[in-house]
Amino acid sequence: MLIYGKVVSADTRAKLRTQVEEFEKRAGRKPCLAVIIVGEDPASQTYVRNKIAGCAEVGMRSLHYEYADGTPQSEIEKTLNDLATDDTVDGILVQLPLPKGYDERKLLSLIPDEKDVDGFSPTNLGLLAMNKPRTISCTPFGVMKMLETTGVKLEGKNAVVIGRSNTVGKPMAMLLLNANCTVTVCHSKTENLAEITSKADILVAAIGRPKFVTADMVKDGAIVIDVGINRVDGKLVGDVDFENVEKKASFITPVPGGVGPMTITMLLANTLQAAEAKANK
Ligand code: GUN
């Protein structure tokens, strides 16, 4: 069976739209997300466009800052400092990756934890590690929502995450651990990868290599979540060899139309949550 992120995402956005309206009535303003992009990477530009469009779709305000590659870091720092202290701005994100030469850690450190709607800050990642989450990184958060729709009990299941990035693999592993799964994190140096993945009841592929997960690596009846978005000859291809793995999986996410749409929806949810936390302070 397919888990359509697109459908889960549309349902979630419809609910968000109502919640945003209610927030506006109570607070007298719309929740607001500020998005900063540096450089001309076409994939990043598409993501940013979709984030801005997502805000409009649920009735949120957005601010969009576009800087050419080569803009002095200090100029971007100034914008971040202004946004950090602007009470009408609830969420701030810097689209990654940044072009070479920028100090990513320095820039991200200027986003206050309360406005870190990506959930990338050391505090927000730390809170998740302690199972006291505040803002949860959007892609893994979306994956958990999709897993919920299967109705399958996660507790006690073997979950294997391939990929250990700070933005996806690590928070994904922590969320699954918090849901009482037995979690294994695999990566490029893992030995006997197929042996480990073929024991997974839940397999999350976040590697960034097209069709990396083949049918022989997957247990019969596994839930397979494909986080990969790879461009091959102009087409979007996931990290999972969908045609063959689909035959073995109980549930599987397609690419496109799977995890991708959920990521931006969870970003919108995080922005509303940040706005409400501020309004309730
Ligand atoms: N680049 C790819 N995914 C993401 C994301 O979720 N947030 C940000 N800021 N940049 C990204």
Side-chain angles (χ1 to χ4, degrees), residues 47 51 93-97 118 120 139 263:
Y47 293 139
K51 289 173 184 181
L93 79 80
V94 175
Q95 186 65 27
L96 301 179
D118 263 329
F120 289 171
T139 300
T263 294

Side-chain angles (χ1 to χ4, degrees), residues 31 49 70 93 96 99 115 117 133 144-145 151 170 201-202 215 225 227 238 243 248 279:
R49 251 199 321 276
L93 79 80
L96 301 179
K115 297 193 182 188
V117 282
M144 293 310 284
K145 294 284 173 200
K170 280 182 203 161
D201 303 305
I202 299 157
I225 306 286
V227 178
E243 288 76 20
K248 289 183 95 174

Side-chain angles (χ1 to χ4, degrees), residues 19-95:
Q19 292 169 329
V20 167
E21 262 173 37
E22 286 164 5
F23 174 86
E24 193 177 355
K25 273 189 208 134
R26 257 182 292 126
R29 66 174 185 88
K30 292 176 191 288
C32 176
L33 172 69
V35 182
I36 295 179
I37 179 169
V38 187
E40 283 82 40
D41 177 66
S44 290
Q45 287 191 329
T46 304
Y47 293 139
V48 165
R49 251 199 321 276
N50 290 339
K51 289 173 184 181
I52 301 289
C55 286
E57 190 187 330
V58 300
M60 287 186 189
R61 191 163 78 94
S62 61
L63 300 169
H64 184 186
Y65 297 85
E66 269 191 80
Y67 293 102
D69 186 2
T71 303
Q73 163 123 356
S74 59
E75 199 175 312
I76 301 160
E77 286 179 10
K78 177 164 186 324
T79 300
L80 281 167
N81 284 327
D82 290 345
L83 292 169
T85 54
D86 185 336
D87 280 341
T88 67
V89 173
D90 302 292
I92 305 170
L93 79 80
V94 175
Q95 186 65 27

